[in-house]
Amino acid sequence: MGVVSYALFAWFPYASGYGATRVSMFEFMSWVWKTPEWEHCWLVPLAVAGIVFYRRKSLAELPIEGCWLGLVALGLTFFIYWVGYLADNIYVGYAALIGFAGSTILWLLGWQWFKALSFPVGFLVFMFPLPFMDNFLAFPLRIIMSSVSVGFLNMVGIACLQSGTAIVSAPDFAAGLSAGQRFAVDVADPCSGIRSLFALMMVSALYGYIAMDRPWQKWVVFLSSIPLAVAGNFARIIMLTLGTITLGAETAIGSLEEPTLFHMASGFLVFGVALGGMLVVGWLLQRFTPQPPPDPSV
């Protein structure tokens, strides 16, 4: 099966993706992984290997009882793979890869192994870059972040206006200053939150799987990554805005091609806020979830 999987996903020219010629699925993924928005995808295979190693003792106790339904599912997976090839759609191939992994486990090892490995197999979803989401989510997120930031800055006494995705200082006619003359910060694509959103969703899924006991707790931790990513990027934009006011745009921001040290430090703030919030959510879930009564028969 290793030779078959290599031929299908790493060697066979499956789809053109966003290029002019067909390339293999792994070739397309490795190409997109080099972009900042999707570089976290490199960590997914390592995380899956770590999960299996972490559970190696419990997995060794499971019986190997292959199931013929896995062979049926494998046939359906090959059909999905073929449809994606005919449609020249790399995303259908992603679904086929997940199906291939799950079906092979069910066919060769059985239901208990399939259940035990369902999370690491599903976690492979984070290995697949979705560049089309950049256009679908990035601009709305930029609008939301600039709107929320303007509301907060005005609330704390820093008069400003929203101009599209930019945050500009309000005009001060008494001082002879027009709008944006005192400061102007544009919420560019890297500050939209899409880069951190998918990375945090991946980390929260892994943290919930390891640290939480109940399925609903795992889902709460996972879904909390969305507002936490927004909160982290909000803190970043406020930091950049205040830095622009106090230090000037050249020191606080620089340019997208050559960001300043202050600008790069604000990027770490995103993950500091979001990961800290995720740990707090996990602690609250464990602290306030009622524990089942002890079994009197034990």
Side-chain angles (χ1 to χ4, degrees):
M1 294 303 292
V3 174
V4 174
S5 61
Y6 176 83
L8 289 177
F9 303 111
W11 173 79
F12 183 70
Y14 184 73
S16 57
Y18 296 91
T21 59
R22 290 179 184 259
V23 295
S24 71
M25 289 179 58
F26 284 1
E27 186 177 356
F28 173 79
M29 286 190 290
S30 64
W31 172 68
V32 183
W33 286 354
K34 296 175 183 177
T35 61
E37 290 78 10
W38 302 100
E39 59 189 0
H40 63 274
C41 294
W42 286 99
L43 300 174
V44 175
L46 297 176
V48 170
I51 292 170
V52 175
F53 180 79
Y54 173 75
R55 299 200 57 190
R56 65 191 184 281
K57 293 182 179 180
S58 60
L59 291 174
E61 298 174 356
L62 298 178
I64 297 178
E65 300 173 341
C67 178
W68 64 270
L69 287 176
L71 190 58
V72 176
L74 198 59
L76 179 60
T77 295
F78 281 119
F79 175 75
I80 294 173
Y81 179 90
W82 177 69
V83 170
Y85 172 75
L86 293 180
D88 191 20
N89 191 306
I90 198 78
Y91 303 108
V92 177
Y94 292 166
L97 195 155
I98 293 288
F100 183 86
S103 301
T104 302
I105 292 171
L106 179 60
W107 176 35
L108 299 179
L109 301 177
W111 279 107
Q112 293 191 50
W113 280 82
F114 178 79
K115 182 179 179 180
L117 294 176
S118 58
F119 178 82
V121 170
F123 194 77
L124 290 174
V125 167
F126 294 106
M127 185 175 69
F128 305 139
L130 308 172
F132 72 91
M133 297 295 286
D134 294 349
N135 295 329
F136 182 71
L137 287 179
F139 184 74
L141 283 173
R142 291 170 64 190
I143 295 293
I144 292 172
M145 294 311 306
S146 59
S147 178
V148 172
S149 300
V150 165
F152 174 81
L153 290 169
N154 281 306
M155 184 178 65
V156 298
I158 301 175
C160 58
L161 303 171
Q162 180 180 358
S163 178
T165 60
I167 303 169
V168 299
S169 58
D172 188 344
F173 300 109
L177 298 175
S178 59
Q181 192 169 345
R182 180 168 293 165
F183 67 86
V185 177
D186 183 37
V187 182
D189 282 342
C191 297
S192 66
I194 191 168
R195 179 184 300 183
S196 56
L197 175 61
F198 292 106
L200 288 168
M201 290 176 69
M202 180 184 76
V203 173
S204 66
L206 187 60
Y207 171 71
Y209 174 75
I210 295 174
M212 299 294 109
D213 297 325
R214 305 181 183 184
W216 70 267
Q217 293 176 323
K218 301 178 190 292
W219 277 105
V220 170
V221 170
F222 175 68
L223 294 176
S224 70
S225 63
I226 299 174
L228 288 174
V230 173
N233 278 277
F234 166 73
R236 179 188 191 184
I237 293 170
I238 297 302
M239 177 179 173
L240 290 175
T241 303
L242 296 178
T244 301
I245 295 172
T246 57
L247 303 174
E250 292 185 1
T251 302
I253 297 179
S255 64
L256 290 177
E257 294 77 17
E258 296 182 3
T260 64
L261 182 62
F262 187 90
H263 195 169
M264 290 187 290
S266 70
F268 291 104
L269 180 65
V270 175
F271 291 96
V273 171
L275 293 178
M278 183 183 67
L279 293 175
V280 170
V281 170
W283 178 82
L284 290 173
L285 288 172
Q286 292 177 324
R287 175 68 176 80
F288 295 103
T289 298
Q291 299 298 320
D295 190 348
S297 63
V298 178

